[in-house]
Amino acid sequence: MTSMPVSERLGSHLKRAEQALNATKAAVLKPAGVTVPQYSALLHLSANPGISAAALARLCVVTPPTMNTVLKNLQDRGLIERTPHEWHRNVLETRLTDAGRTVMADADARAVRVERALAAEFTDEERDALVGLLGRCVALLEKERPQA
């Protein structure tokens, strides 16, 4: 078996970048009163009013039980409302409340500042290359993942 130094493992570099992004977003979102997973849910809800919890979980890349916890916390704070679907009574549609839209606007302004600072670190060509390279990482890793 051949060993590989940590410094050469792309996964550790990807993980460090992800952790740095999440830690920074968590810090800037704290004054808005939301966590990164809550912000992600609010962001996707603002673009997809009425979406189900299962579909929202897929968009936010979390498990359905995790999303249900996030939604319960947001609902308890009055930031979202969940109502039975018109035709599918066992499906709850989720929407932002007025309070949720206000919190979302504040949180999004904070998150966008981080995203803009990150984007400004690169030239247009570098950003395009980075997005392309990360896309290739995702495609390869999804191909390599053993099917359950």
Side-chain angles (χ1 to χ4, degrees):
M1 179 155 116
T2 307
S3 181
M4 177 185 243
V6 172
S7 63
E8 292 178 19
R9 296 177 191 227
L10 293 178
S12 69
H13 294 286
L14 289 169
K15 184 68 175 176
R16 285 184 59 219
E18 179 193 28
Q19 287 175 330
L21 178 61
N22 280 335
T24 301
K25 280 192 176 177
V28 302
L29 290 171
K30 191 171 186 175
V34 293
T35 64
V36 173
Q38 289 171 341
Y39 165 69
S40 181
L42 292 172
L43 180 66
H44 287 291
L45 279 169
S46 69
N48 303 281
I51 193 170
S52 70
L56 189 58
R58 286 189 292 276
L59 286 174
C60 294
V61 196
V62 298
T63 64
T66 296
M67 183 51 63
N68 283 328
T69 300
V70 168
L71 292 176
K72 182 183 181 324
N73 289 334
L74 292 173
Q75 189 172 19
D76 289 350
R77 293 183 52 204
L79 302 181
I80 63 166
E81 59 186 8
R82 302 181 78 192
T83 55
H85 186 277
E86 185 177 348
W87 304 304
H88 306 288
R89 291 291 174 202
N90 58 336
V91 173
L92 292 176
E93 293 184 324
T94 307
R95 288 185 168 75
L96 297 178
T97 62
D98 287 342
R101 281 186 282 281
T102 299
V103 169
M104 168 56 200
D106 180 29
D108 197 43
R110 295 166 184 280
V112 164
R113 282 196 291 276
V114 173
E115 292 287 348
R116 285 198 174 126
L118 186 58
E121 186 64 22
F122 302 98
T123 65
D124 290 347
E125 295 78 18
E126 288 172 330
R127 276 192 308 280
D128 290 346
L130 181 58
V131 169
L133 292 168
L134 291 171
R136 283 173 47 196
C137 289
V138 170
L140 177 276
L141 293 169
E142 287 176 347
K143 187 180 90 179
E144 292 293 316
R145 183 185 316 134
Q147 299 304 309

